[in-house]
Amino acid sequence: MNKTELTQLISKNFDYYQTGHVADYIPALAKVDPKQLGMAIYDLQENHLIEAGDANVRFAIESMSKVPVLLLAIKDNGIDHVFQKINTEPTGFAFNSIMNMEINHRKHPMNPFVNAGAIATTSLINGKNAAEKFDRILAFMKEICDDPAITLNEEIYQSESRTGDINRSLAYYMKGNQMIEGDVPAILDTYFKQCSVNVTAVGIAKLAAVLANKGIVPWNGQRIVSEKSATIVKSIMTIAGLYDESGEFSVHVGVPAKSGVGGGLLAAVPNRYGMGVFSPALDSFGNSAAGIQLLTDVIQELDADIFE
């Protein structure tokens, strides 16, 4: 695929933004212009990146941050320790639900991509305080996205913090049931910040390319995460990366992917492509409405469904 072909697919799918709505439950995200769509694709075989549309527009990473933070938690603690604390099962409940832990009487969250699991993952990041933990997360994001300009969006962070009471309830429930260790306000402060950094579709495509390339950075050949951790993260993306749309997406599109309510999509096609998409209007599942349509077309065009 070349830039012209990608541009054509962006034009074909642009109007799907009208079927969605920006995440207005977070006031700062409610201000984002929904009329945006961009994509970047890192081709591992050609070691080349193409981009089109709004691929360089900065937007809040939101739940896509769960991917690099999980990778960093594994680097800090090892695979066994992380997954003794957090399960790897899909859940039929909403991403911010407490029900799976209560009904199943589990002593750990169901997976790292529901909010409870993501908060537990953040609690495992090394650092003597919240500021040091976030600085390490930010530095890792800059490295794996090959984007030194990633910064905290202060307005979104404050908005996340003001509206984050459900996340607070999840964190205190886990603390009260000995599922997490550490100071809950500090853990939540780090979590709200990690969700509030500004990224681009280009940077997300590069992050996805590292996952697709078994943990090796394709633009310099250095290993940044272990092959095993890259494989595990892609597997969890396949079963739980798109909230309650994960199963349908796996059936009809067939690539490991992770979304965020800032309008981003991350897709890693093993050994072939890393993809980043941005369009802020969300469908009823909380995934980018135009982004899902565009990604579906691109995967079909590239014959990249991993299950075919």
Side-chain angles (χ1 to χ4, degrees), residues 68-296:
V69 174
L70 176 57
L71 290 168
L72 183 58
I74 292 171
K75 284 170 70 79
D76 282 353
N77 300 273
I79 290 170
D80 290 346
H81 182 76
V82 169
F83 293 110
Q84 285 170 0
K85 299 287 187 180
I86 306 160
N87 210 337
T88 55
E89 297 296 328
T91 169
F93 297 99
F95 66 93
N96 59 358
S97 174
I98 202 169
M99 296 297 289
N100 60 77
M101 293 183 288
E102 286 195 313
I103 290 174
N104 295 323
H105 304 292
R106 298 290 180 91
K107 286 299 183 182
H108 41 65
M110 292 301 289
N111 68 66
F113 294 159
V114 292
N115 283 15
I119 292 165
T121 304
T122 299
S123 76
L124 297 174
I125 300 300
N126 289 345
K128 63 179 181 291
N129 53 41
E132 186 174 302
K133 289 173 184 283
F134 175 67
D135 285 346
R136 293 189 65 247
I137 290 170
L138 186 62
F140 184 66
M141 287 182 178
K142 290 179 179 181
E143 182 181 12
I144 201 168
C145 293
D146 190 34
D147 183 1
I150 291 175
T151 57
L152 175 66
N153 185 314
E154 187 68 31
E155 181 184 9
I156 291 176
Y157 159 59
Q158 295 294 340
S159 195
E160 289 271 358
S161 184
R162 284 194 302 271
T163 59
D165 290 335
I166 291 178
N167 286 324
R168 290 185 176 89
S169 70
L170 293 173
Y172 279 108
Y173 177 87
M174 289 189 290
K175 178 72 171 182
N177 286 278
Q178 295 81 50
M179 297 184 191
I180 60 174
E181 300 175 1
D183 179 66
V184 170
I187 294 167
L188 287 166
D189 189 61
T190 305
Y191 178 70
F192 294 141
K193 284 180 177 177
Q194 80 180 45
C195 292
S196 304
V197 301
N198 281 330
V199 294
T200 67
V202 169
I204 293 302
K206 290 183 173 182
L207 189 166
V210 174
L211 285 175
N213 203 37
K214 300 179 181 177
I216 296 173
V217 176
W219 50 91
N220 64 20
Q222 296 180 358
R223 177 169 294 283
I224 189 172
V225 297
S226 70
E227 181 175 347
K228 181 68 172 176
S229 63
T231 298
I232 289 171
V233 171
K234 284 179 289 191
S235 299
I236 301 171
M237 286 166 58
T238 303
I239 63 169
L242 271 69
Y243 310 122
D244 292 344
E245 202 171 1
S246 298
E248 184 174 348
F249 184 84
S250 291
V251 168
H252 295 293
V253 185
V255 297
K258 183 72 190 82
S259 62
V261 296
L265 285 166
L266 178 161
V269 183
N271 306 311
R272 295 186 65 188
Y273 303 105
M275 301 178 180
V277 185
F278 166 61
S279 187
L282 309 178
D283 63 20
S284 60
F285 297 102
N287 302 315
S288 174
I292 290 284
Q293 298 296 327
L294 173 59
L295 185 56
T296 301

